[in-house]
């Protein structure tokens, strides 16, 4: 059974760096074809894909946010970490992580974690 | 970047109805379209893969159609438990992009 859970601060100040952790079970990020991605949804707005990391450490980023994002994995801990620098109130959103395997893109999702950016 | 235009943004249905949700891509994405269902506070559920394939365990009243640029999620014989937010995702090219979502209310 695949599960994912996001964790991190609920409140960050403008200009700070956000660090979110996705802790998962039921699969390994060392298995060929497996990946974990991050997606966010501002209140009342559409979902936005942020980043994706694959089993072979291939990384993909949203072009509009690439300069602010870093995605890494710790296979031994079953975790994927996303950092986003220079946070702004417009980054207030629910942040989700999701599993990918081959063409099964985002077939399992976490419940999400709400991050508010405010001074 | 492939833009997905999803409509309608909101719809209301009565149990037993049939509803269609549309997702139009700004360029040809073959059948690289997925559909998801999300309820408040819960993880999103993967319901349709590759435009037309029902994900195992999803009720057969859900179906997907389309290829290229025009895609449709159809829910037949709607049940009250289908009240949710539905969204599409294209994975033909990076950046991955989502539709704006549809909130489905059951009267």
């Amino acid at each position: 059974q695949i599960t994912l859970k996001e964790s991190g601060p609920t409140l960050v100040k403008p200009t700070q760096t956000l660090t979110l952790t996705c802790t998962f079970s039921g699969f390994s990020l060392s298995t060929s074809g497996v990946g974990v991605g991050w997606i966010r949804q501002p209140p009342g707005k559409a979902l936005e894909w942020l980043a994706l990391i694959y089993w072979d450490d291939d990384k993909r980023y949203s072009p509009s946010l690439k300069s602010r994002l870093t995605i890494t994995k710790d296979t031994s801990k079953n975790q994927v970490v996303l950092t986003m620098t220079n946070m702004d109130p417009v980054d207030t959103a629910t942040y989700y992580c999701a599993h990918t395997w081959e063409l099964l893109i985002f077939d399992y999702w976490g419940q999400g974690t709400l991050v508010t950016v405010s001074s | 970047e492939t833009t997905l235009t999803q409509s309608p943004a909101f719809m209301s249905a009565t149990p037993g109805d049939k509803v269609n949700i549309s997702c139009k891509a700004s360029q040809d994405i073959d059948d690289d379209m997925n559909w998801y269902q999300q309820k408040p506070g819960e993880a999103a559920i993967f319901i349709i893969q590759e435009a037309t394939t029902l994900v195992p365990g999803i009720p057969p009243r859900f179906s997907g159609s389309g290829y290229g640029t025009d895609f449709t999620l159809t829910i037949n014989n709607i049940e009250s438990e289908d009240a949710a937010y539905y969204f599409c995702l294209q994975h033909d090219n990076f950046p991955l992009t989502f539709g704006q979502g549809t909130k489905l209310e059951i009267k």
Side-chain angles (χ1 to χ4, degrees):
Chain A
Q1 180 190 1
I2 289 176
T3 64
L4 305 100
K5 186 177 178 69
E6 307 85 354
S7 60
T10 58
L11 179 66
V12 297
K13 290 180 167 48
T15 75
Q16 286 186 335
T17 294
L18 171 68
T19 299
L20 294 172
T21 301
C22 177
T23 303
F24 55 84
S25 63
F27 67 94
S28 171
L29 247 183
S30 59
T31 301
S32 177
V34 172
V36 172
W38 284 94
I39 303 103
R40 71 178 179 179
Q41 185 172 31
K45 296 189 177 181
L47 292 146
E48 178 183 22
W49 170 69
L50 302 176
L52 181 54
I53 188 166
Y54 291 98
W55 88 103
D56 59 357
D57 212 36
D58 183 22
K59 301 170 186 177
R60 303 297 179 107
Y61 294 100
S62 167
S64 62
L65 292 167
K66 186 175 182 178
S67 64
R68 299 173 54 206
L69 295 175
T70 303
I71 190 169
T72 59
K73 63 180 174 67
D74 186 329
T75 305
S76 65
K77 292 183 179 179
N78 281 352
Q79 291 180 335
V80 170
V81 174
L82 181 76
T83 61
M84 181 180 291
T85 60
N86 194 24
M87 293 292 285
D88 183 272
V90 299
D91 297 313
T92 293
T94 298
Y95 287 75
Y96 301 94
C97 61
H99 168 272
T100 286
W101 180 59
E102 301 291 352
L103 287 180
L104 295 175
I105 309 298
F106 300 156
D107 56 345
Y108 294 93
W109 292 60
Q111 287 186 298
T113 185
L114 176 61
V115 178
T116 301
V117 184
S118 175
S119 54
Chain B
E1 174 172 326
T2 301
T3 300
L4 297 182
T5 302
Q6 185 174 343
S7 61
F10 176 85
M11 64 190 314
S12 184
T14 300
D17 282 353
K18 171 183 174 179
V19 301
N20 292 310
I21 298 172
S22 170
C23 200
K24 295 185 185 295
S26 61
Q27 62 189 38
D28 190 331
I29 59 168
D30 295 337
D31 62 353
D32 296 330
M33 173 66 74
N34 294 346
W35 290 94
Y36 303 83
Q37 176 195 71
Q38 186 175 37
K39 298 181 180 180
E42 299 183 9
I45 295 173
F46 188 29
I47 57 176
I48 299 287
Q49 59 175 308
E50 305 309 299
T52 62
T53 302
L54 190 66
V55 172
I58 301 301
R61 63 179 181 273
F62 290 89
S63 64
S65 62
Y67 189 91
T69 59
D70 288 0
F71 301 87
T72 301
L73 171 69
T74 299
I75 312 173
N76 286 292
N77 196 21
I78 276 201
E79 299 185 6
S80 58
E81 66 183 34
D82 298 334
Y85 178 79
Y86 294 86
F87 58 91
C88 54
L89 161 74
Q90 71 80 21
H91 59 90
D92 179 75
N93 56 82
F94 285 100
L96 306 178
T97 49
F98 291 90
Q100 293 93 331
T102 297
K103 183 176 181 180
L104 175 61
E105 171 193 84
I106 309 299
K107 298 172 189 170

